[in-house]
């Protein structure tokens, strides 16, 4: 699976952006797909995740209620709608995926098999 993230940019605090993750090479069903981010000097962290089959979602506390992850398996796409952006959301955002056929899991970067190149999100105050 090849992943391509897009949609980053410069936005003022309080604004919105929608990130897109396009998958190619294999159908995007039965995967867990996560959006991770890495700010300068910080570790990469999970932002939001979704199971493409059951549409179960996960959000880290700092984005709960502001970000929404969604998927369209017919188009092999996963989106991250980001509203009420804050300067602390500034980071490079990556989409990542791992095959998922059921069972327990956790959203850690080490547990993802496929990564796209990042897209930069900059939120100005």
């Amino acid at each position: 699976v090849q992943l391509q993230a897009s949609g980053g940019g410069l936005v003022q605090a309080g604004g919105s952006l929608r990130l897109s993750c396009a998958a190619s090479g294999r159908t995007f069903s039965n995967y867990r797909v996560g959006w991770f981010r890495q700010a300068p000097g910080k570790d990469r962290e999970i932002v939001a995740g979704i199971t493409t089959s059951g549409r179960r979602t996960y959000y880290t506390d700092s984005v709960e209620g502001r970000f929404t992850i969604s998927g369209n398996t017919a188009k092999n796409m996963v989106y991250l709608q980001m509203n009420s952006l804050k300067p602390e959301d500034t980071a490079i955002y990556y989409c990542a995926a791992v095959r998922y056929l059921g069972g327990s899991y956790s959203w850690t970067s080490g547990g993802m098999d496929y990564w796209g190149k990042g897209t930069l999100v900059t939120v100005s105050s």
Side-chain angles (χ1 to χ4, degrees), residues 20-40:
S20 298
C21 178
S24 60
R26 186 171 289 187
T27 184
F28 222 8
S29 58
N30 297 315
Y31 279 82
R32 289 192 293 119
V33 181
W35 283 99
F36 292 76
R37 68 185 178 188
Q38 188 165 19

Side-chain angles (χ1 to χ4, degrees), residues 18 20 25-26 31 45-46 49 59-60 70 86 88 92 104 112 114 118 123 125:
R18 188 174 86 151
S20 298
R26 186 171 289 187
Y31 279 82
E45 64 172 351
I46 179 70
Y59 298 94
T60 196
S70 61
K86 303 176 180 180
E88 52 264 42
I92 299 173
S104 63
M112 311 305 285
Y114 307 99
V123 185
S125 58

Side-chain angles (χ1 to χ4, degrees), residues 83-117:
N83 299 328
S84 302
L85 282 160
K86 303 176 180 180
E88 52 264 42
D89 295 317
T90 295
I92 299 173
Y93 284 70
Y94 302 86
C95 64
V98 62
R99 189 97 164 123
Y100 176 64
L101 298 177
S104 63
Y105 58 86
S106 60
W107 289 103
T108 60
S109 58
M112 311 305 285
D113 288 338
Y114 307 99
W115 289 85
K117 291 184 180 180

